[in-house]
Amino acid sequence: MDHSGHGMTMDLPPFTLGRGLEWSMDPFFLVTCLLGLALYGWGVARLVRRGDKWPVGRTVAYTAGVLSIALMMCTKLNDYGMVMFSVHMVQHMVISMVSPILILLGAPITLALRALPTAGRGRKGPRELLLMLLHSRYMRIITHPVFTIPLFIASLYGLYFTPLFDFLMESRPGHIAMMVHFLAVGVVFFWPIMGVDPGPHRPGYLMRMLELFAGMPFHAFFGIALMMGSTPMVGTFRNPPASLGIDALSDQNAAGGIAWAFSEIPSVLVLIALLFQWYASEERQARRKDRAADRDGDKELEAYNAYLASLNARGN
């Protein structure tokens, strides 16, 4: 027996973590994840061959981010996520909040710009097209907080509390599109806040923190709304298979608790990343000032000393 025409079997045994982590391939996400890892590996290898360095930490972060997507979509967590609201919510939270943060810390765009060859004068290759996209009006719009914060919020309330969610869950392409959307929303929300890659919208560090905390409370409110619901609120999960041995309302409450908890975890991760980036930025600025002072023979200090001497002479 199939679930919602999606091809998922309805006779899944009761959920355990061991069963959830069993291999269950989704061709689209398997190919996409392998391609993402291969392209990143090609970029790093190209830099190393020409004698350039690439931080190991970035490679580890990017790899972990891609593998976190594979973990959610190429195991039986994906099968259980079709019939259990709580498991689906784990998928949603990881793919929209954990995976984007790790991928952004891997700086894939910076790697691409350094690894891709230039096309030559008057021609446009992949590197030139990527630069055009980065500096386009489209990119300025989709990375601006006036766009990203409402999109981040609408991806919760506008999806789960309308018939759109049930419609997407009825088909494999719809389910894939929804998961890709979750990832894309997470990337455009977190990129201006803590992304290593260059971007059109890059405010100061304090403003980035405000952007982060402007979006996160809505996740908590969404989780609380699910936990306080007195009836199942999403049609897809209203009648779970009897083989699971679960109650739809209890499972919804668990889903709400997961959404509420995930409003805190990414906030801490991003805050730590921001503080490290802020510190590194201050260090780079201090080194630039030192180098400038070495080049001009500390003229700024000499001028200040001359100014003090003139005041002293005037006082005498």
Side-chain angles (χ1 to χ4, degrees), residues 11 61 145 163 185 196 208 216 234 298 303:
D11 57 353
V185 168
V196 180
R208 295 188 208 182
M216 286 301 118
V234 179
D298 235 342

Side-chain angles (χ1 to χ4, degrees), residues 53-70:
K53 291 183 179 179
W54 183 254
V56 175
R58 289 184 182 180
T59 303
V60 171
Y62 180 85
T63 303
V66 173
L67 290 179
S68 68
I69 297 171

Side-chain angles (χ1 to χ4, degrees), residues 190-206:
F190 288 113
W191 181 11
I193 296 173
M194 47 66 64
V196 180
D197 290 319
H201 175 70
R202 188 68 86 216
Y205 286 97
L206 286 175

